[in-house]
Structure formats: C-alpha cells, structure tokens
Amino acid sequence: MGEAVELEAGGRTVRLSSPDKIFFPERGFTKLDLARYYIAVGPGILRALRDRPTTLERYPEGVTGENFFQKRAPKNMPDWIPTAHITFPSGRSADEMCPTEEAAVLWAAQYGTLTFHPWPVRRDDVDRPDELRVDLDPQPGTDFDDAVRAAHELRAVLDEFGGLRGFPKTSGGRGLHVFVPIEPRWTFTQVRRAAIAVGRELERRMPDHVTIKWWKEERGERIFVDYNQTARDRTIASAYSVRPRPHAPVSAPLAWDEVGVAHPRDFDIATMPARFAELGDVHADMDDHRFSLEPLLELARRDERDHGLGDLPYPPEYPKMPGEPKRVQPSRAKKGPPPDVSDGGSPG
C-alpha cells in the first residue's frame, strides 16, 4: 500500500496512510488520488460544507468494498474540527463534525470518505435551514436530459415566486440538484412545505414530464421532485463530493448557461481539478445571497385553501407527522381493509 505520506491543506498537515490503495479499480485511482482531488477543490468543497453538520459516506477499502454512513463524529477526530449537536426525527441526537478548514476534508478522506452529506443548516442554528434544496430525480425511462428540461422550468418558477436564485449542480449520477440560499427563519417543516409547493407548481406546468408523487407506482416516466430530501436528517451530497461509482464522478456545480450543455460524465476526480483551476468555484457567491420563502409558503397556502392540497407522506422511518395523509401506497389502499374473520369462518 506504500508508506504513509503527509499532505498539506490550508496550513495544516494531514497524514495519509496506505496512499497506494486502489479506491476506484476501473480507473486505477488510489487513495492518494482522492486526497489530491480534495486538495485541488478545497476552497469549493469547504464553501459547501463550512459550519454544516456533515455525515460521512465512507468506503475504507475503496468503492468496491463495504461502506457505511458515519453520522456521529469519530472519537479520533482532531480537536480543531468543531461539532454541532443535532437531533434526528427519532428523538435521538448526536454530535456531527462541522468542517471549518480544508484540512477537515482531507482528514475525512484519510478514513475513506468519498461523499460528504451536509445538513442544510449551520452549527449556530441547527433547527432552521439556510438552504432550500430541490432534488430532480430521473425515474426509469427518463434521463439527465429530462432533468435538464425540468431544471430550466424550475428556474422560471423560482424567479416568479420571490425572485429566488437557484444554484444548479449535477448529482454525480443522472439527476440535478438546485440549491436556493434562504434566510434561516423557517423550520424544517416549513422549508419542506415550500419544496412541496415548488414541486406542485412544476407538476402543473409540466404534467407529462414532472411528478411529485411519493409512491413509485404513480410516478411513471417522469422526473420526480423529491420533496422529502428537505425533511430533517435527509441530506444531499455536497458540491464537489466524489460519488461511489466506478468512474469516480463528482457532483459538479454549474452555471445556468451550462445546464443542458454539460453532462455528468464530464466531471470526475481527474477532470474537475483542471476546471476548478481555470474557473474557480462557480458557486462562490452563493453565501452572498439570502432569499425569503414567504412567496412559496403563500403558494402552499393557496394550494391548500383553493385546491385542498395539504401535506404529503414522509419517509417510512419518520414518526407520523401532524396533518400528514395516510402513509399507505395507493394500490394497497384500494384493496381496502382485510376481511373480518373473527368468527372463525373463512373469508369470502
């Protein structure tokens, strides 16, 4: 595996063991290649993670080995990496790492972290998100080009409802993410409600192309607006994160004029450093903006008042939420309750 090496990031030195360990066999990329990638894009990924409670998606033996999500800060984490105390929907809580230096990313890479999953909050207020995140998820029969069409209409919706500016990025797979920086005034429940309103408006404008149906059996060949990615403890891979696929793709921030021109396969740990060196972080000004959710929340109120469109189902592991509809897939609901056989007779 080679002898350990020492790497520098942001003025700190981080020891990297087994630098020659192969992490991506298809491309031959090593653990050292991964670390050097994160050094190359350090200012960009730190912008995406700074002060955010962050879950680590770790592959200690590389992309073909076992993996796990580490939510709790590791016991061996350096004392110069701060943490934040966050609460999960179950009521349990944990201290999660909150990167404030580029070296924190490099330190996590030493332990096989490929993807960083930051919460949409900062450590000074972990209950009020400062980002509205819209996940455009292609369903079977659709592809990245379909997500692109939805993204351009999403841009129009955001502009119409409050002059919101979204910052698009590839997911690293077939989808697109659009992040909107918002004032940290609203709860997770309210931000999720705004995401539902966005999804419903997109669905109205592109009914054959976009859906907000939670149940897979109802989605069809459409782009799913995954509103539950805004629920507490649901996270989306950060910009510049490496994704666990054989060709080592990365989640790439895009300018809007690149949406529909660039393709996810354009961005991996070999190509992104050169792009970053030339263009820098194309989302560098994201933190300079803070938008209001009130226009979208008013849209949500109108949907409920005029069309009877209230809340939508939460993920199955979440506790039942106030106002949530029955959490049962439509095909099962149509079958009705099981027959009453309490008298010992046979059903039907």
Side-chain angles (χ1 to χ4, degrees):
M1 298 299 180
E3 299 209 3
V5 297
E6 291 188 339
L7 301 174
E8 191 272 336
R12 289 194 187 272
T13 300
V14 176
R15 182 177 182 273
L16 191 79
S17 63
S18 304
D20 297 332
K21 180 184 289 186
I22 299 295
F23 265 38
F24 292 89
E26 183 176 290
R27 303 286 301 276
F29 295 141
T30 64
K31 185 178 180 180
L32 181 58
D33 293 324
L34 175 71
R36 285 175 171 164
Y37 164 75
Y38 276 128
I39 293 173
V41 300
I45 192 166
L46 181 60
R47 189 268 310 158
L49 300 178
R50 189 189 301 274
D51 286 321
R52 298 190 183 280
T54 300
T55 297
L56 308 179
E57 186 177 356
R58 293 176 54 187
Y59 287 76
E61 300 304 318
V63 72
T64 58
E66 294 185 1
N67 71 292
F68 59 95
F69 290 85
Q70 181 147 12
K71 295 187 176 184
R72 299 178 185 277
K75 292 181 179 180
N76 64 339
M77 193 172 73
D79 58 10
W80 50 266
I81 302 178
T83 62
H85 195 72
I86 48 93
T87 302
F88 305 116
S90 64
R92 296 179 179 178
S93 61
D95 293 322
E96 284 203 349
M97 73 176 291
C98 297
T100 57
E101 303 180 34
E102 294 173 31
V105 177
L106 187 57
W107 176 85
Q110 148 65 14
Y111 292 97
T113 300
L114 297 187
T115 308
F116 295 82
H117 296 267
W119 282 48
V121 301
R122 308 279 182 168
R123 62 191 173 110
D124 59 353
D125 189 349
V126 296
D127 293 316
R128 296 188 182 275
D130 68 346
E131 288 180 347
L132 168 67
R133 299 173 174 180
V134 184
D135 181 6
L136 300 174
D137 185 10
Q139 300 303 289
T142 65
D143 57 20
F144 181 75
D145 290 337
D146 296 302
V148 164
R149 287 192 286 274
H152 283 297
E153 190 61 39
L154 169 64
R155 186 186 187 188
V157 169
L158 293 173
D159 183 63
E160 184 175 330
F161 289 92
L164 279 65
R165 177 184 170 187
F167 290 75
K169 69 182 185 70
T170 66
S171 67
R174 300 188 307 139
L176 272 167
H177 303 149
V178 179
F179 286 11
V180 181
I182 60 173
E183 300 166 5
R185 293 168 43 198
W186 297 275
T187 65
F188 277 95
T189 302
Q190 290 171 311
V191 174
R192 179 177 173 276
R193 192 78 175 103
I196 290 173
V198 167
R200 282 177 169 150
E201 183 64 20
L202 266 181
E203 190 177 54
R204 279 190 287 266
R205 297 183 182 200
M206 310 178 77
D208 297 327
H209 190 69
V210 171
T211 182
I212 199 169
K213 300 292 187 184
W214 175 246
W215 304 106
K216 290 183 179 180
E217 64 187 36
E218 294 186 306
R219 294 177 191 170
E221 294 184 0
R222 292 180 286 182
I223 298 297
F224 172 50
V225 181
D226 191 354
Y227 61 90
N228 269 330
Q229 289 297 92
T230 54
R232 179 185 288 272
D233 193 34
R234 283 298 181 99
T235 56
I236 293 177
S238 77
Y240 301 103
S241 271
V242 179
R243 306 313 309 275
R245 294 181 173 87
H247 60 289
V250 304
S251 179
L254 301 175
W256 274 109
D257 61 8
E258 295 180 295
V259 178
V261 178
H263 190 273
R265 296 288 302 210
D266 298 337
F267 310 107
D268 58 37
I269 68 171
T271 61
M272 179 57 83
R275 172 184 167 88
F276 194 89
E278 178 184 359
L279 301 178
D281 178 14
V282 298
H283 289 180
D285 66 334
M286 187 171 173
D287 288 341
D288 297 337
H289 304 273
R290 284 289 176 265
F291 297 101
S292 173
L293 278 185
E294 280 305 320
L296 287 178
L297 292 174
E298 176 56 30
L299 174 62
R301 288 188 285 268
R302 290 205 308 268
D303 278 346
E304 187 161 18
R305 181 184 65 240
D306 300 340
H307 305 292
L309 299 174
D311 203 357
L312 291 173
Y314 274 78
E317 71 273 16
Y318 280 62
K320 183 70 175 177
M321 300 294 288
E324 181 188 1
K326 290 183 178 180
R327 204 179 294 175
V328 57
Q329 65 190 73
S331 59
R332 291 188 177 182
K334 289 177 182 178
K335 293 178 182 178
D340 182 3
V341 292
S342 58
D343 63 353
S346 61

